Amino acid sequence: MAKEKILVVEDEEAIQELIRYNLNKEGFDRVKLCDSGEAALAQAAEFKPDLILLDLMLPGIDGLSVCRRLRRDARTAAVPIIMLTAKSEESDIVTGLEVGADDYLAKPFSPKVLIARIKSVLRRVNPTELEESSTSLKRGVLTMNRGTREAAIDGHALSLTFSEFEILYLLARRPGWVFTRNQIVNEVKGDDYPVTERAVDVQMVSLRRKLGGHGDLIETVRGVGYRFAQE
């Protein structure tokens, strides 16, 4: 059985059970279900999940507000969040990413796709011991360790979401190398991930904001993509 704990926040009982059934079938037996925003916040603090599946259309506190609060709480700031939404418009996806979600699935979704997304995220969150020993890097004022998922600027810790950390690590590994938006998505999310260029730009705006006075470490190459500034 998988050791990871997954919190499922979904108010439709049929979808709850569908998700739990498929997770259990794949060996994930540490699954907690809740059906409201209030319960999600309480369970996130008590259950300490490794990953959260979060429906945006919830009674009480809506999913976007839940996501904002989770990202403001040091205990859950780095926990990967996959949005589950009945909406698939670009504006809805971008809004979710802006408040800190790492991934999204539009309903109705394939259970196989859901499981694949979950496993992909968890593989990146839990690298092997060999990977941990070779994933530290230093680029000027920036230091990162993918094994411990710690990042700092001038010794001051950065509070990054799962996706923000992965994107920054990808760019910082190869200073000066230009990555297209599609390359960034494929490297961080996996091949054929259905995300828009606007959604990638949102992640970059957030990263630059968190880098503060060093936001210029991420450079835009007009008409192509992004790169980490060469020393």
Side-chain angles (χ1 to χ4, degrees), residues 79-140:
V79 177
I81 297 174
I82 300 178
M83 296 185 298
L84 303 177
T85 175
K87 300 177 180 180
S88 58
E89 295 294 327
E90 179 183 357
S91 59
D92 299 306
I93 295 166
V94 168
T95 299
L97 294 173
E98 284 178 332
V99 300
D102 296 288
D103 203 344
Y104 72 91
L105 274 178
K107 299 175 184 176
F109 52 80
S110 159
K112 288 185 178 179
V113 171
L114 174 64
I115 296 299
R117 294 279 181 86
I118 290 171
K119 288 183 175 180
S120 176
V121 169
L122 291 176
R123 275 196 302 271
R124 289 176 168 84
V125 172
N126 300 305
T128 64
E129 290 185 12
L130 178 60
E131 289 172 329
E132 286 186 15
S133 66
S134 60
T135 52
S136 296
L137 63 79
K138 179 174 174 58
R139 296 286 184 264

Side-chain angles (χ1 to χ4, degrees), residues 3-161:
K3 67 181 185 299
E4 293 88 356
K5 296 187 289 185
I6 298 176
L7 176 62
V8 179
V9 188
E10 167 62 58
D11 65 325
E12 293 186 37
E13 187 175 348
I15 297 178
Q16 275 190 2
E17 292 305 321
L18 173 68
I19 294 172
R20 174 157 58 183
Y21 170 78
N22 283 279
L23 285 171
N24 289 166
K25 190 170 69 170
E26 291 295 322
F28 295 99
D29 62 340
R30 305 176 73 186
V31 178
K32 180 79 71 174
L33 305 177
C34 59
D35 59 7
S36 71
E38 291 84 353
L41 294 170
Q43 289 297 332
E46 180 182 332
F47 185 52
K48 297 180 176 60
D50 298 291
L51 182 143
I52 298 172
L53 300 178
L54 176 63
D55 184 27
L56 294 189
M57 305 296 288
L58 294 171
I61 304 174
D62 64 75
L64 291 176
S65 297
V66 170
C67 191
R68 288 190 187 95
R69 295 192 190 190
L70 291 172
R71 288 299 178 234
R72 288 199 298 262
D73 189 329
R75 297 170 296 179
T76 54
V79 177
I81 297 174
I82 300 178
M83 296 185 298
L84 303 177
T85 175
K87 300 177 180 180
S88 58
E89 295 294 327
E90 179 183 357
S91 59
D92 299 306
I93 295 166
V94 168
T95 299
L97 294 173
E98 284 178 332
V99 300
D102 296 288
D103 203 344
Y104 72 91
L105 274 178
K107 299 175 184 176
F109 52 80
S110 159
K112 288 185 178 179
V113 171
L114 174 64
I115 296 299
R117 294 279 181 86
I118 290 171
K119 288 183 175 180
S120 176
V121 169
L122 291 176
R123 275 196 302 271
R124 289 176 168 84
V125 172
N126 300 305
T128 64
E129 290 185 12
L130 178 60
E131 289 172 329
E132 286 186 15
S133 66
S134 60
T135 52
S136 296
L137 63 79
K138 179 174 174 58
R139 296 286 184 264
V141 295
L142 174 69
T143 57
M144 301 186 74
N145 186 301
R146 199 175 179 202
T148 60
R149 304 200 68 78
E150 295 174 322
I153 286 284
D154 273 339
H156 299 289
L158 297 173
S159 179
L160 304 178
T161 68

Side-chain angles (χ1 to χ4, degrees), residues 135-194:
T135 52
S136 296
L137 63 79
K138 179 174 174 58
R139 296 286 184 264
V141 295
L142 174 69
T143 57
M144 301 186 74
N145 186 301
R146 199 175 179 202
T148 60
R149 304 200 68 78
E150 295 174 322
I153 286 284
D154 273 339
H156 299 289
L158 297 173
S159 179
L160 304 178
T161 68
F162 171 78
S163 292
E164 289 167 352
F165 185 98
E166 290 294 307
I167 292 171
L168 183 58
Y169 187 83
L170 171 69
L171 299 179
R173 279 190 306 173
R174 303 182 73 176
W177 187 272
V178 180
F179 290 87
T180 67
R181 292 171 176 83
N182 283 336
Q183 286 174 324
I184 291 169
V185 171
N186 289 342
E187 288 288 336
V188 174
K189 303 291 189 181
D191 294 337
D192 301 320
Y193 182 81

